[in-house]
């Protein structure tokens, strides 16, 4: 069973069992953001976490094993996303990427924001004009080193 097949099975079983990402996250003691990324094939679960998810979703043993394998990161099928929601993030980086870069460099110096030492919180923000999506991302600053 490939990692992509496991991801498809996880999504199918989640739907069949009417579970939510937060419920799955609670079962393994992680955030809904990290757990969702993991179950969509972008993070590695521990043996204990994989076993709990396997039990909840009634996954076969080979799927549980695959959840513990370090994945090939990066899940977009094309360089420019075609899914409208994901494309908006691409658009956001296209429009504001240079702003992020300029402000981070001015505040921290020459370096990057880590996507490894990273956390994210996604919440619904009620608004009378239409609910908003609030995403807070926090990544460790990693300065470039001279050598």
């Amino acid at each position: 069973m490939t990692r992509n097949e496991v991801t498809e099975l996880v999504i199918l079983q989640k739907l069949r069992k009417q579970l939510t990402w937060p419920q799955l996250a609670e079962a393994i003691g992680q955030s809904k953001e990290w757990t969702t990324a993991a179950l969509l094939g972008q993070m590695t679960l521990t043996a204990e976490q994989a076993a709990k998810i396997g039990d909840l979703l009634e996954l076969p043993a080979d799927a549980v094993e695959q959840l513990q394998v370090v994945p090939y990161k990066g899940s977009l099928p094309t360089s420019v996303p075609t899914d409208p929601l994901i494309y908006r993030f691409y658009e956001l980086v296209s429009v504001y990427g240079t702003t992020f870069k300029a402000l981070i460099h001015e505040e921290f110096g020459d370096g990057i924001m880590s996507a490894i030492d990273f956390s994210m919180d996604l919440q619904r923000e009620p608004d009378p004009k239409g609910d908003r999506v609030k995403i807070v991302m926090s990544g460790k600053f990693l300065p470039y080193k001279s050598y």
Side-chain angles (χ1 to χ4, degrees), residues 5-56:
E5 290 169 337
V6 172
T7 298
E8 290 175 11
L9 182 57
V10 163
I11 292 167
L12 179 65
Q13 289 297 94
K14 176 187 166 290
L15 181 63
R16 283 183 177 160
K17 297 194 166 293
Q18 299 181 330
L19 293 167
T20 65
W21 297 116
Q23 288 171 322
L24 294 170
E26 185 178 336
I28 62 169
Q30 297 294 327
S31 72
K32 71 180 182 294
E33 294 81 8
W34 186 90
T35 302
T36 304
L39 296 179
L40 292 178
Q42 297 303 302
M43 302 294 171
T44 308
L45 275 68
T46 65
E48 182 181 344
Q49 291 168 333
K52 285 180 183 178
I53 292 297
D55 287 343
L56 272 173

Side-chain angles (χ1 to χ4, degrees), residues 27-117:
I28 62 169
Q30 297 294 327
S31 72
K32 71 180 182 294
E33 294 81 8
W34 186 90
T35 302
T36 304
L39 296 179
L40 292 178
Q42 297 303 302
M43 302 294 171
T44 308
L45 275 68
T46 65
E48 182 181 344
Q49 291 168 333
K52 285 180 183 178
I53 292 297
D55 287 343
L56 272 173
L57 296 178
E58 297 180 10
L59 301 176
D62 52 344
V64 172
E65 288 175 9
Q66 279 290 332
L67 292 172
Q68 299 169 67
V69 174
V70 176
Y72 185 86
K73 307 239 189 222
S75 60
L76 299 179
T78 60
S79 58
V80 176
T82 56
D83 177 86
L85 189 141
I86 297 173
Y87 179 80
R88 292 298 169 242
F89 286 95
Y90 176 81
E91 180 181 50
L92 182 121
V93 171
S94 294
V95 173
Y96 291 103
T98 54
T99 302
F100 294 149
K101 181 178 174 59
L103 292 172
I104 288 170
H105 286 181
E106 184 172 273
E107 177 75 22
F108 294 91
D110 188 15
I112 62 169
M113 182 179 100
S114 176
I116 296 170
D117 190 342

